[in-house]
Amino acid sequence: MLSRVFGFGRRPFSSLSEQEILALAISSEEDDARIYRSYAEGLQVDYPHSARMFEEMAAEEDRHRALLIELHRKRFGEHIPLIRREHVKGYYERKPDWLVRPLGIDKVRQQAEQMERQAQLFYLEAVKRTSDASTRKLLGDLAAAEQNHENLAHKLEQQYVPGDIREEEAATERRQFILTYVQPGLAGLMDGSVSTLAPIFAAAFATHDTWQTFLVGLSASIGAGISMGFTEAAHDDGKLSGRGSPLKRGLANGIMTSLGGLGHALPYLIPNFWTATSVAAAVVFVELWAIAFIQNRYMETPFLRAAFQVVLGGALVFAAGVLIGNA
């Protein structure tokens, strides 16, 4: 672990021979082609046009790898030394595709451009630090190849992802984000914020004990979050509805449910009852308007209508809790 963080055991680039530099370029091309194919596979269902673009880029990496292997065979023979990016100190690194893919189509495109740019800049800097003529030529050729790769990415994007397709993919990405995160998260926030009002404020006015009220709010919030999260994950696997991963939806729903309740439970850590209750009431006001804003922003519900529904419902539940607590 420490060797990966601090670079222990890695070789400086200046210590590599020309054969090792060529071997490093070959392994880098292999890795990049593999990454592009992973992108294409992950995007195939929702973004088929961009998937074709990444398949073409992977094929281009394969062609460059074949040329590099042939050059190595002519200069150094059949045996290619095993040397990869992680073996060289200061060499650029690649993010695993599972770290990039969830970030969305635009992030994946930006990552692809960065991949080509990193390789080009690295080779250009390596040329400056190399005095051997044949090594300088080799590195210069690699830098030019990476520049061509970056230009190719732009050409392929214009070919496979014109403006109307790009807008369509952006709309698809937004829709998937809403179905997977916003919708279940909003449902959880509404449930956690509204449904816990009655037990928390009933306990508060019944006992006038801030600590006991906090415990009631904590248990209600955590319990509701667990229940809502499991229910969301279990009732729909997302395959037919297209709502995405049940795990992601369950986490979004459960976490937001718990946060919705904890928002007005945490103020009761304040020892003074009326101060805690005033702060909790203010938090409830903010929570309800936040729900109305999210409904308007992502669900396209008219703001006044959303505000009326949420505030009215919250006010009724709040009043019920206060009345029950004072009974």
Side-chain angles (χ1 to χ4, degrees):
M1 179 65 180
L2 291 177
S3 63
R4 289 184 61 86
V5 174
F6 296 103
F8 298 150
R10 294 186 180 185
R11 294 179 57 184
F13 184 80
S14 58
S15 70
L16 300 183
S17 66
E18 290 187 25
Q19 182 184 15
E20 289 172 327
I21 291 174
L22 192 55
L24 179 60
I26 292 171
S27 67
S28 297
E29 296 286 353
E30 290 174 346
D31 289 344
D32 286 355
R34 189 177 298 112
I35 291 173
Y36 286 144
R37 287 197 170 88
S38 295
Y39 290 171
E41 180 182 359
L43 298 171
Q44 184 61 50
V45 175
D46 295 322
Y47 312 104
H49 298 281
S50 288
R52 289 179 61 192
M53 181 188 80
F54 283 112
E55 287 171 358
E56 287 288 339
M57 293 180 68
E60 186 67 16
E61 298 289 335
D62 286 340
R63 286 189 286 270
H64 282 269
R65 178 177 59 87
L67 293 174
L68 289 166
I69 291 176
E70 183 61 27
L71 177 60
H72 184 279
R73 182 180 290 114
K74 291 179 180 178
R75 296 190 60 187
F76 304 109
E78 296 292 333
H79 174 68
I80 301 176
L82 178 59
I83 182 168
R84 308 182 70 83
R85 294 186 180 101
E86 57 267 25
H87 301 154
V88 181
K89 186 181 300 184
Y91 204 78
Y92 60 87
E93 297 181 354
R94 296 290 190 239
K95 291 182 179 180
D97 70 287
W98 55 269
L99 284 178
V100 179
R101 191 184 305 173
L103 296 180
I105 184 63
D106 285 335
K107 291 293 184 180
V108 173
R109 292 193 187 112
Q110 292 171 11
Q111 181 67 16
E113 292 183 6
Q114 185 181 22
M115 285 169 60
E116 305 300 343
R117 195 178 304 115
Q118 282 178 336
Q120 180 200 6
L121 293 176
F122 180 85
Y123 288 133
L124 289 174
E125 289 299 316
V127 168
K128 298 175 183 178
R129 298 194 300 268
T130 305
S131 58
D132 181 77
S134 60
T135 303
R136 288 176 65 88
K137 182 180 183 304
L138 173 63
L139 294 174
D141 290 343
L142 292 173
E146 295 300 337
Q147 176 64 51
N148 290 335
H149 284 188
E150 189 173 355
N151 292 336
L152 175 66
H154 289 292
K155 292 178 181 178
L156 290 174
E157 184 170 356
Q158 292 175 358
Q159 177 181 351
Y160 291 116
V161 195
D164 55 339
I165 298 298
R166 196 180 185 93
E167 292 177 2
E168 178 183 336
E169 290 186 344
T172 300
E173 183 179 22
R174 174 183 168 81
R175 177 178 179 274
Q176 193 62 54
F177 174 74
I178 290 174
L179 290 176
T180 304
Y181 296 103
V182 176
Q183 193 178 70
L186 178 61
L189 182 61
M190 292 177 66
D191 185 85
S193 298
V194 176
S195 66
T196 58
L197 286 175
I200 290 176
F201 285 100
F205 282 92
T207 65
H208 281 69
D209 187 324
T210 58
W211 178 247
Q212 295 300 323
T213 302
F214 169 73
L215 293 179
V216 170
L218 179 65
S219 61
S221 302
I222 299 300
I226 294 173
S227 176
M228 290 285 289
F230 272 103
T231 301
E232 176 64 39
H235 89 280
D236 181 9
D237 62 8
K239 293 181 180 179
L240 295 179
S241 65
R243 296 180 65 222
S245 166
L247 176 61
K248 293 177 181 177
R249 289 186 287 105
L251 287 174
N253 188 283
I255 291 172
M256 294 307 293
T257 300
S258 295
L259 290 178
L262 288 173
H264 44 268
L266 289 174
Y268 282 98
L269 288 173
I270 301 172
N272 183 274
F273 172 77
W274 288 110
T275 302
T277 301
S278 299
V279 173
V283 171
V284 170
F285 180 81
V286 173
E287 288 173 346
L288 296 180
W289 282 102
I291 292 171
F293 171 79
I294 295 173
Q295 283 186 321
N296 174 256
R297 175 70 174 80
Y298 292 101
M299 312 304 291
E300 298 183 358
T301 304
F303 184 78
L304 292 179
R305 175 184 169 187
F308 176 77
Q309 292 174 341
V310 174
V311 173
L312 178 61
L316 291 175
V317 176
F318 176 81
V322 173
L323 290 174
I324 294 171
N326 285 318

